[in-house]
Amino acid sequence: MTILNRTNKIKIKKLRVGRGIGSGKGKTSGRGVKGQKSRSGVAIKSFEGGQMPLFRRLPKRGFNSLSKNKNNIAIINLEKIQKFLENKKINKEEKIDLNLLKKLNIVSKKYKKIKILGSGDLKEKVNIETNYISKSAKNKLEKFGGNIILKKSI
């Protein structure tokens, strides 16, 4: 049923379902007879009538970072070690290892291994005990006569 309002625009009156046989949408309110969709509270959004749903047909993609056997490796650059040596937070005679870095709160306690990377330069001779080391970091440490002790990884 259409009604003209003041601005001569057609306004369609809202259909009131379930209001008697004369309305055209009485009794079953346009839902048909019986069946799941005739009932209230039915939500079958991704149901495809027993066919394998689309979200299960498509392959899994992407990266899942929640692996259980993930090795927690702390990464530290030579420039950071040099900065701590200059600030006298680390003594240059001490052996720099993961336990020392954890004790000084330079590295979080959750890490189990450490890797030394070669960004920046060292200006002093230091002794480092590490699990992993990059080639550039190894070359820079050896240039100043520093000792590198590589731990065996389990």
Side-chain angles (χ1 to χ4, degrees):
M1 182 173 188
T2 57
I3 299 171
L4 290 173
N5 60 8
R6 275 193 204 170
T7 54
N8 291 334
K9 290 186 179 176
I10 294 174
K11 184 178 179 185
I12 297 169
K13 206 172 183 185
K14 186 183 168 213
L15 200 71
R16 297 178 69 217
V17 295
R19 294 295 185 275
I21 199 166
S23 69
K25 288 280 186 227
K27 194 184 167 211
T28 55
S29 306
R31 288 173 173 258
V33 185
K34 296 185 182 177
Q36 189 178 14
K37 287 185 178 176
S38 72
R39 321 272 185 222
S40 66
V42 174
I44 46 173
K45 287 181 177 64
S46 65
F47 184 68
E48 298 179 23
Q51 173 179 303
M52 186 63 68
L54 181 69
F55 71 92
R56 287 185 61 196
R57 276 180 278 167
L58 296 175
K60 289 182 187 172
R61 291 205 60 213
F63 174 74
N64 184 8
S65 65
L66 301 172
S67 67
K68 291 176 184 167
N69 299 326
K70 187 177 177 186
N71 294 329
N72 289 331
I73 302 171
I75 294 172
I76 191 161
N77 279 303
L78 290 178
E79 64 185 353
K80 253 207 174 137
I81 293 172
Q82 180 59 40
K83 192 188 290 182
F84 291 126
L85 288 167
E86 288 170 2
N87 296 342
K88 296 191 169 71
K89 199 166 183 182
I90 298 175
N91 188 2
K92 66 180 177 182
E93 278 78 42
E94 275 185 297
K95 177 180 71 175
I96 299 169
D97 64 347
L98 186 62
N99 293 332
L100 176 75
L101 296 174
K102 281 182 181 179
K103 192 170 76 179
L104 297 172
N105 287 328
I106 295 169
V107 166
S108 173
K109 288 179 171 55
K110 71 177 182 177
Y111 294 115
K112 294 174 178 72
K113 295 180 181 178
I114 186 167
K115 181 171 184 173
I116 309 293
L117 299 181
S119 178
D121 280 316
L122 271 180
K123 296 169 187 151
E124 299 169 54
K125 178 184 168 184
V126 289
N127 299 324
I128 293 181
E129 186 177 315
T130 181
N131 298 93
Y132 311 102
I133 189 163
S134 68
K135 286 180 184 176
S136 60
K138 192 173 185 180
N139 294 338
K140 288 176 183 178
L141 277 165
E142 288 171 346
K143 190 172 93 174
F144 281 100
N147 290 342
I148 305 156
I149 303 165
L150 282 174
K151 286 184 187 176
K152 296 275 185 184
S153 297
I154 299 169

